[in-house]
Amino acid sequence: MDYSSLFRLDGKTAVVLGGGSGIGRESARALAAHGAKVVCADYNQVTARETAELIGPAASAVQLDVLDSDALAKAAASLGQIDIVVLTAAVNVRKRLLDYTRAEFDRVIALNLTATFEVVRAFGGAMVERGSGSIIAFSSIRAVTVEPGQGAYAATKAGMVQLLRTAAAEFGPAGVRVNAIAPGVVETPLTQQIKNSPEWYQAYADKNALGRWAKPQELAGAVVYLASEAASYVTGAVLSVDGGWTAVDGRFDPPAS
């Protein structure tokens, strides 16, 4: 075993869905830095191109709507051999359940859960036939811990975990690995509403063991790990990258003696 190349991705091609910004952009950059060719896919073609330009010749950009099953199937068929799929696209409508509309609920379900199902099917089929591949999707700490106003989002993220575990069980005999990453609070466009409230922002920072929010680039290492041979025996797993959020139950500051 050449441990010096354990995390290298030379000769691999990755598709990052949601690669136009936030965690997706940093994931694409990290994968390329470790030798992969990266397809930056996003609903927003402009931001996808911006990510590809940041990376350079090893990257390309495509406009892709993960809610369009036909477009996903065409992309999976036309992009050539895909070794790594990273799904970061998500939406959250922060409302208490009694204030939710059915349309809002359906919107969250569609992007966070139905799209995961479609992505796994669209790209997983060729991987199973070939006998190799790594699928990585972003769940959340909300899959295991909730708060008022996060009900629909939490339900989708928990559902995503079980969907991915099922894919891991079904694809594993063919050599395809399927895993989830569960971030805590990360400074992305999805959390802008919280960042706009200093009190809310600080309350979230104080909740985890490290006492701060994550930057998107701090999730990229987990993506590279799960994509690489370093994780060759890891499948059906949920990797928490949450600053200790789910390990800590409240805070205690002892009085000075």
Side-chain angles (χ1 to χ4, degrees):
M1 171 65 76
D2 179 9
Y3 289 114
S4 66
S5 62
L6 197 58
F7 295 91
R8 293 298 304 174
L9 299 169
D10 303 280
K12 304 289 187 181
T13 299
V15 172
V16 180
L17 301 158
S21 64
I23 295 170
R25 171 170 289 179
E26 299 308 320
S27 297
R29 295 179 67 192
L31 292 168
H34 283 77
K37 293 182 179 179
V38 181
V39 179
C40 305
D42 202 285
Y43 182 80
N44 187 327
Q45 189 170 20
V46 173
T47 57
R49 285 176 178 169
E50 289 173 351
T51 301
E53 289 170 0
L54 283 172
I55 294 170
S60 59
V62 297
Q63 194 279 332
L64 186 60
D65 181 359
V66 294
L67 294 176
D68 186 337
S69 57
D70 290 338
L72 277 173
K74 290 177 181 177
S78 65
L79 292 174
Q81 178 173 316
I82 301 300
D83 305 289
I84 302 156
V85 173
V86 181
L87 175 61
T88 69
V91 67
N92 191 2
V93 177
R94 300 176 188 276
K95 285 185 176 182
R96 293 178 183 268
L97 292 176
L98 295 181
D99 297 326
Y100 245 87
T101 67
R102 176 59 185 268
E104 289 168 335
F105 183 80
D106 288 346
R107 177 183 169 216
V108 175
I109 293 290
L111 185 56
N112 295 1
L113 188 55
T114 305
T116 302
F117 169 74
E118 296 286 7
V119 167
V120 167
R121 293 191 339 134
F123 290 95
M127 289 181 171
V128 168
E129 288 182 9
R130 189 175 65 246
S132 65
S134 175
I135 299 173
I136 305 158
F138 275 80
S139 180
S140 168
I141 58 170
R142 293 302 171 214
V144 296
T145 180
V146 302
E147 66 176 329
Q150 298 265 36
Y153 181 80
T156 61
K157 292 303 184 178
M160 171 191 283
V161 167
Q162 295 301 79
L163 185 67
L164 296 172
R165 283 173 171 163
T166 302
E170 294 178 358
F171 298 176
V176 178
R177 298 182 296 106
V178 186
N179 293 288
I181 297 173
V185 287
V186 187
E187 295 190 354
T188 70
L190 190 64
T191 56
Q192 188 61 47
Q193 179 185 4
I194 301 172
K195 292 171 64 178
N196 290 340
S197 169
E199 182 178 351
W200 195 1
Y201 179 90
Q202 191 59 47
Y204 272 24
D206 291 340
K207 174 63 177 70
N208 65 56
L210 297 181
R212 64 177 179 83
W213 285 54
K215 301 290 186 183
Q217 56 265 35
E218 292 182 285
L219 280 297
V223 173
V224 171
Y225 165 65
L226 291 174
S228 73
E229 286 302 303
S232 60
Y233 201 61
V234 179
T235 195
V238 181
L239 178 55
S240 295
V241 187
D242 64 0
W245 184 295
T246 51
V248 177
D249 182 16
R251 305 192 72 88
F252 172 65
D253 295 320
S257 57

